[in-house]
Amino acid sequence: MLSLVPSGPDEAGLLSRVIARSPSAARELFDTFAPRVRGLGRRLGLHAADAEDVVQDSMLVVWKRAHQIIGPDQLQAFVLGVAANKARALMRRRRWARALGLEPAVTPGREEEVAGVAATESTHELKRVNAVLQGMSDELRVVFVLRFVEQLTLEEAAEASGWSLATLKRKAERARAVFLARARQDPLLWDRLSKEERDG
Amino acid sequence: MADPVERDAKLVRRIEGDVPPGDHQASRTAFLNAIEKPPRRRWVIALAVAAAAALAFLSRPLTYSEEPSLLRFSDGTVIEGPAEVVSADARGAVLRVTAGVLHAKVQHRVGSRWAVEVGPYTVRVTGTKFSAGLVDGQIDVELLEGAVEVSGPGLAAPLQLKAGQRFHTTLEKIEVSNLDKPRIPKPVPPAPAPAPVVRPVAPKPPPRISWRSQVAAGAFAEVVAAARDEGLEKALKRDLDEVFALGEAARYLKDDALAKRSFVAVRDRAPKSIDAAQSALLLGRISEQQAQWAGADHWYERCELDGHAALIPEALGRRVVVLEHLGELDQAKAVARRYLALDPSGPWAAVARRMIE
């Protein structure tokens, strides 16, 4: 199950230790946020090796730029924002590589990641939902994941993505609409959505 | 009706980033190693640029102009006398003297390589002033500056000539003499190769891993044990980083006495450093955990007075809580106001507002 890292005194303490370059701070920073960043990468559709690259790159940036974080409760949003940007850059590179024929058209690993989720009756549904998500543009997928999957507040998502609050709101609504429109194109998800609409 | 997007997002949350503990540790080690790398210094870059320029310079083949009895090379080397250029490249040239005496002033450059063939002998040169001649079957090499190396018949190993020495041979016998002494034909047997001198090499001590790195890797017990082995008096005189790391290691091991001693040592030695302010904060935390509220208040106040902006909000926020425990409500209110002025949405904001209201 996803463990959300709470903002609070401990996170504030961690931030001050990171800024002060306390010896144990780097280890604590990594242990606290690396699983979250890795999860974000994989939910954005990166395969395991790319997600690991995002972890390393993001944590290095956070370590170097922690002093730029304005409030002690902004550490989490800052980390996820850096990670989202790294992931987007990686996705862009991959797209170019595919366009130039330097990489196979389908990124390997995505299926196995989804398959890695414990088999339950909803695994099949998860694969379809994930396929809808991965079919969205990189930008909308990042917004969707930050706002709805990672459950950042609008302010945190705006901070993480680097957009203004108004822009983030517009993009989040757009991401939501695109997600639902695409979900309705999947027969199984269409059935479920129709039923929910009827019941509603 | 449940929001369908919320429902699907919850499903997607099941795609996790968990990896086996060993993979996570390897990943963490890679990160810790990466941040341990020292930043690249500007002078290193300048040196690299200079080296690249030197390389570019060295990679250009030498050119030379011929005048009567004079060769001028593009690197500034000047050869006077009856020399023949056998070959020339970017690093130098090979010259040959078939008869007469050659006077050379070779420009010294990094990686340059010059040689003069005199009869069956070869004189290898780096940067130097010398003459080499073949007259009436007698070969002379006279060295004015620098060093050259002569090899050829009768020499088991290349012979090093120093400035002020002369090498003379008639092919039957070889002599080396000083230029300032009269030229006395003093037979010198071919110099045998010097026997290699074997000196016992002391085994290198194993590389020392800093306590800072060890603490970063979670080896708290090892750091504290090493400090105790070394003797605490001596250990507390190490670099500040190391003493601070010792304090952290002790704090993690709940060895509060050692942690306090280490942090106080840091403060004594560098009272204005951010390490000192951080030490005050941690001393306050230790006191707070021991319910020593007055002690905690003292250290948080010290941290605030140290004036390092990054640490002040936390010191103030924690102080509000401590002062409440002490029943110093007026003072707590004043500190709460200072906290809110600095960090109105920070983690202690709710506590501070409650205190004021």
Side-chain angles (χ1 to χ4, degrees), chain B residues 3 16 22 26 42 47 95 100 113 126-127 132 173 188 193 203 215 270 285-286 315 325 336:
Chain B
D3 180 354
E16 294 177 5
R42 284 185 182 178
L47 201 63
L95 310 170
R113 190 170 55 192
T126 50
K173 58 182 181 183
V188 175
V215 167
R285 298 277 300 275
I286 294 169
H325 276 286

Side-chain angles (χ1 to χ4, degrees), chain A residues 1-2 8-9 12-13 16-17 19-24 26-28 30-31 34-35 38-39 42-43 52 56 59-60 63 72-73 117-118 120 122 125-126 129-130 133 144 148-149 151 176 179-180 192-193 196-197 200, chain B residues 1-5 7-9 11-19 23-24 27-28 30-32 34-35 212 215-218 220 241 244-245 248 251-252 274-275 278 281-282 285 310-311 314 318 343 345-348:
Chain A
M1 188 178 135
L2 176 73
S16 62
R17 287 194 293 282
I19 291 170
R21 292 292 186 260
S22 161
S24 61
R27 178 193 174 94
E28 197 180 340
F30 191 86
D31 287 349
R38 200 178 284 118
R42 296 180 76 168
R43 285 188 279 276
E52 187 56 40
Q56 292 292 330
M59 300 311 288
L60 270 177
W63 178 255
D73 55 347
V117 175
T120 65
S122 57
E125 192 179 354
L126 169 56
V129 169
N130 195 42
L133 185 61
F144 187 91
F148 301 112
V149 180
Q151 295 182 302
R176 180 189 170 87
F179 179 84
L180 286 174
R192 198 196 72 200
L193 287 170
E196 284 169 351
E197 281 167 3
Chain B
M1 180 181 72
D3 180 354
V5 167
R7 217 187 87 134
D8 290 341
L11 263 180
V12 175
R13 252 171 258 146
R14 293 176 55 214
I15 302 171
E16 294 177 5
D18 290 344
V19 291
D23 290 356
H24 177 75
S27 175
R28 183 175 60 206
F31 167 67
L32 295 175
I35 64 173
R212 190 183 179 91
V215 167
F220 309 126
D241 268 3
F244 189 86
E248 289 239 296
R251 189 169 79 92
Y252 277 104
I274 192 164
D275 281 344
Q278 180 80 2
L281 200 55
L282 293 173
R285 298 277 300 275
L311 302 175
E314 185 178 355
R318 292 188 184 280
D343 196 6
S345 58
W348 287 274

Side-chain angles (χ1 to χ4, degrees), chain B residues 282-302:
Chain B
L282 293 173
L283 284 162
R285 298 277 300 275
I286 294 169
S287 299
E288 197 178 340
Q289 281 157 9
Q290 294 173 337
Q292 294 174 352
W293 308 115
D297 180 45
H298 166 78
W299 287 119
Y300 291 148
E301 187 181 17
R302 296 306 313 165

Side-chain angles (χ1 to χ4, degrees), chain A residues 4 13 15 34 41 43 54 57 68 71 80 84 106-107 110 117 128-129 132 148 154 163 172 175 182 187 193:
Chain A
L4 292 174
L15 177 58
R43 285 188 279 276
V54 169
D57 290 351
Q68 295 174 352
L80 291 180
V106 178
T107 306
R110 190 173 292 165
V117 175
R128 286 165 178 262
V129 169
V132 169
F148 301 112
L154 284 168
W163 287 310
R182 286 178 165 272
L193 287 170

Side-chain angles (χ1 to χ4, degrees), chain B residues 211 215 219-238 240 242-268 279 282-283 286 290 299:
Chain B
W211 284 350
V215 167
F220 309 126
E222 287 82 348
V223 169
V224 170
R228 292 198 183 284
D229 286 348
E230 185 176 326
L232 291 180
E233 287 294 332
K234 195 175 167 191
L236 292 173
K237 287 178 183 162
R238 283 185 172 220
L240 280 183
E242 296 286 80
V243 180
F244 189 86
L246 174 61
E248 289 239 296
R251 189 169 79 92
Y252 277 104
L253 293 176
K254 310 282 184 206
D255 186 344
D256 290 341
L258 178 57
K260 282 183 177 178
R261 200 172 157 189
S262 306
F263 292 137
V264 168
V266 171
R267 289 189 60 77
D268 285 346
S279 293
L282 293 173
L283 284 162
I286 294 169
Q290 294 173 337
W299 287 119

Side-chain angles (χ1 to χ4, degrees), chain B residues 4-346:
Chain B
V5 167
E6 195 177 305
R7 217 187 87 134
D8 290 341
K10 193 175 171 187
L11 263 180
V12 175
R13 252 171 258 146
R14 293 176 55 214
I15 302 171
E16 294 177 5
D18 290 344
V19 291
D23 290 356
H24 177 75
Q25 281 167 15
S27 175
R28 183 175 60 206
T29 303
F31 167 67
L32 295 175
N33 287 340
I35 64 173
E36 280 283 307
K37 282 182 188 167
R40 188 175 291 181
R41 306 271 181 207
R42 284 185 182 178
W43 66 265
V44 174
I45 297 170
L47 201 63
V49 170
L55 194 66
F57 177 72
L58 280 174
S59 63
R60 284 188 306 178
L62 289 182
T63 55
Y64 61 94
S65 60
E66 283 185 89
E67 297 168 27
S69 298
L70 191 68
L71 292 172
R72 288 183 190 277
F73 285 82
S74 54
D75 69 339
T77 296
V78 179
I79 309 291
E80 288 180 63
E84 174 189 339
V85 179
V86 179
S87 65
D89 61 18
R91 301 175 70 179
V94 178
L95 310 170
R96 183 180 295 148
V97 180
T98 49
V101 178
L102 164 156
H103 300 279
K105 185 179 177 185
V106 174
Q107 199 69 33
H108 175 68
R109 294 182 303 152
V110 177
S112 61
R113 190 170 55 192
W114 289 79
V116 179
E117 296 174 351
V118 192
Y121 289 86
T122 302
V123 182
R124 297 197 183 283
V125 185
T126 50
T128 191
K129 264 187 184 175
F130 72 103
S131 61
L134 174 57
V135 179
D136 298 333
Q138 297 191 38
I139 293 171
D140 280 284
V141 178
E142 293 183 354
L143 191 57
L144 302 174
E145 288 176 11
V148 297
E149 195 179 83
V150 182
S151 56
L155 295 171
L159 176 69
Q160 303 279 345
L161 278 191
K162 292 177 185 169
Q165 284 188 317
R166 174 189 293 122
F167 168 86
H168 175 80
T169 178
T170 58
L171 295 182
E172 292 173 356
K173 58 182 181 183
I174 294 172
E175 65 180 41
V176 176
S177 60
N178 290 333
L179 291 174
D180 56 353
K181 287 184 180 174
R183 230 173 133 173
I184 302 166
K186 187 179 176 184
V188 175
V197 179
V198 180
R199 293 190 177 88
V201 178
K204 285 185 181 173
R208 185 175 160 273
I209 303 170
S210 71
W211 284 350
R212 190 183 179 91
S213 302
Q214 284 181 278
V215 167
F220 309 126
E222 287 82 348
V223 169
V224 170
R228 292 198 183 284
D229 286 348
E230 185 176 326
L232 291 180
E233 287 294 332
K234 195 175 167 191
L236 292 173
K237 287 178 183 162
R238 283 185 172 220
D239 287 349
L240 280 183
D241 268 3
E242 296 286 80
V243 180
F244 189 86
L246 174 61
E248 289 239 296
R251 189 169 79 92
Y252 277 104
L253 293 176
K254 310 282 184 206
D255 186 344
D256 290 341
L258 178 57
K260 282 183 177 178
R261 200 172 157 189
S262 306
F263 292 137
V264 168
V266 171
R267 289 189 60 77
D268 285 346
R269 288 174 55 190
K272 290 182 180 173
S273 68
I274 192 164
D275 281 344
Q278 180 80 2
S279 293
L281 200 55
L282 293 173
L283 284 162
R285 298 277 300 275
I286 294 169
S287 299
E288 197 178 340
Q289 281 157 9
Q290 294 173 337
Q292 294 174 352
W293 308 115
D297 180 45
H298 166 78
W299 287 119
Y300 291 148
E301 187 181 17
R302 296 306 313 165
C303 180
E304 183 192 357
L305 293 173
D306 285 343
H308 289 278
L311 302 175
I312 290 175
E314 185 178 355
L316 289 174
R318 292 188 184 280
R319 205 167 165 226
V320 172
V321 177
V322 167
L323 285 168
E324 191 178 11
H325 276 286
L326 286 169
E328 301 282 356
L329 298 185
D330 288 343
Q331 212 178 343
K333 282 179 188 173
V335 174
R337 286 194 190 92
R338 287 213 298 280
Y339 173 79
L340 288 171
L342 282 179
D343 196 6
S345 58

